Amino acid sequence: MGKTVLLGLSAVLLLGLAGAALTDAAAGAKNEPANLDTDPHLVGRWTFDGVSGTTAADASKHGHNGSLKGGLAFEKDSAAGHLGKAIKLDGKDGMVEVTGYKGVSGVRPRTVAAWIKTKSSRGEIMSWGQDDFGKMFIFGFIRGRIGLTPGGGYLYMNDPVNDDAWHHVAVVVMEAKRPNLHDHVKLYKDGEPAAIHDIGLLDLWPVDTGAALDLRIGRRFGGLIDDVRLYDRPLSGDEIKALVTQKKPK
């Protein structure tokens, strides 16, 4: 009788251990980082790998294709990028416009990331919104440094990036009821959190983006831009770093 009880207890123990292992495995799988190329929150990705024409295809599968403006065309304005090809912008009229797409609006969280190579210290990487105080979302050069302005206040990094070398830059707006530059926005340079150079007098202005203007890439930017991404969620620091270490698939 005693042996039977012991055998029963052993069986229960083994089943419990097996169940725990399965639970741990499931939890581990759940905690694995998402594939950032197929993440459903990737709402726009422009790789600029086109070889002809004026259409910048959206690699996110959301169909937010861009149009090259200001006389740009892949035949003459394509260049070697960090990953594949890049678009070469003149700092004047050339830019990419995603007609009909208004970006991520309101106070929703978001991430913008891109590879850039430039000698200049002016121009936008990505912008959209409404031409009003606090209603814009402009990610690009502010006072010679990469940062964000919502059309009222500004936040920009300390280190310059206009050294004619490839740099990965990103901005993350975190989840908040009324996100503001000071408390809820993070800047990244080459996969690491960027030291902030200065914060404007209106740094607490909320990021509450309008939906009047179409999304634009590279407005007044002079140099190369590659692999521009927009997510409608905040990427973690590890995910930003993963974008930096990512290699182009063979």
Side-chain angles (χ1 to χ4, degrees):
M1 184 70 178
K3 181 182 286 188
T4 302
V5 171
L6 286 174
L7 287 173
L9 288 172
S10 299
V12 169
L13 180 61
L14 287 173
L15 286 172
L17 290 172
L22 287 172
T23 300
D24 289 344
K30 185 177 180 180
N31 291 330
E32 287 180 1
N35 185 324
L36 294 173
D37 292 349
T38 58
D39 188 326
H41 293 278
L42 177 64
V43 292
R45 183 189 179 193
W46 300 271
T47 61
F48 303 115
D49 288 334
V51 295
S52 63
T54 59
T55 299
D58 174 14
S60 77
K61 300 180 181 178
H62 285 275
H64 296 140
N65 295 332
S67 298
L68 307 188
K69 300 292 185 179
L72 293 177
F74 281 113
E75 289 90 342
K76 63 184 183 63
D77 297 303
S78 180
H82 182 81
L83 297 169
K85 298 292 183 80
I87 189 69
K88 181 171 60 177
L89 300 164
D90 57 12
K92 299 176 183 177
D93 298 326
M95 66 175 181
V96 180
E97 187 172 77
V98 186
T99 305
Y101 181 52
K102 311 301 182 182
V104 181
S105 61
V107 298
R108 292 158 59 199
R110 68 204 72 169
T111 300
V112 177
W115 285 98
I116 63 171
K117 182 180 180 183
T118 181
K119 294 180 181 179
S120 178
S121 59
R122 64 186 294 270
E124 302 172 358
I125 296 171
M126 182 183 286
S127 65
W128 71 89
Q130 180 180 326
D131 191 13
D132 199 358
F133 290 114
K135 291 295 184 179
M136 287 297 299
F137 191 90
I138 302 173
F139 179 51
F141 282 102
I142 301 171
R143 297 186 176 184
R145 302 292 195 272
I146 293 295
L148 174 69
T149 176
Y154 47 79
L155 183 79
Y156 56 88
M157 61 181 64
N158 185 64
D159 296 334
V161 296
N162 58 326
D163 56 358
D164 201 29
W166 281 108
H167 291 286
H168 188 267
V169 292
V171 59
V172 176
V173 178
M174 295 176 285
E175 185 94 40
K177 186 174 291 186
R178 284 177 63 82
N180 66 71
L181 294 175
H182 183 273
D183 300 312
H184 307 111
V185 175
K186 293 183 179 180
L187 296 171
Y188 291 85
K189 173 178 175 274
D190 297 327
E192 299 294 335
I196 301 304
H197 178 274
D198 199 1
I199 299 174
L201 295 175
L202 300 176
D203 57 295
L204 295 180
W205 200 290
V207 178
D208 189 0
T209 312
L213 301 175
D214 291 338
L215 185 145
R216 303 168 298 194
I217 298 170
R219 184 170 175 259
R220 300 194 186 104
F221 183 97
L224 304 179
I225 296 184
D226 188 17
D227 196 25
V228 180
R229 296 167 180 249
L230 173 61
Y231 295 83
D232 64 359
R233 72 172 179 90
L235 264 59
S236 68
D238 287 342
E239 288 173 319
I240 296 292
K241 190 172 292 187
L243 291 180
V244 176
T245 58
Q246 184 182 53
K247 291 182 172 53
K248 185 175 178 64
K250 294 182 180 180

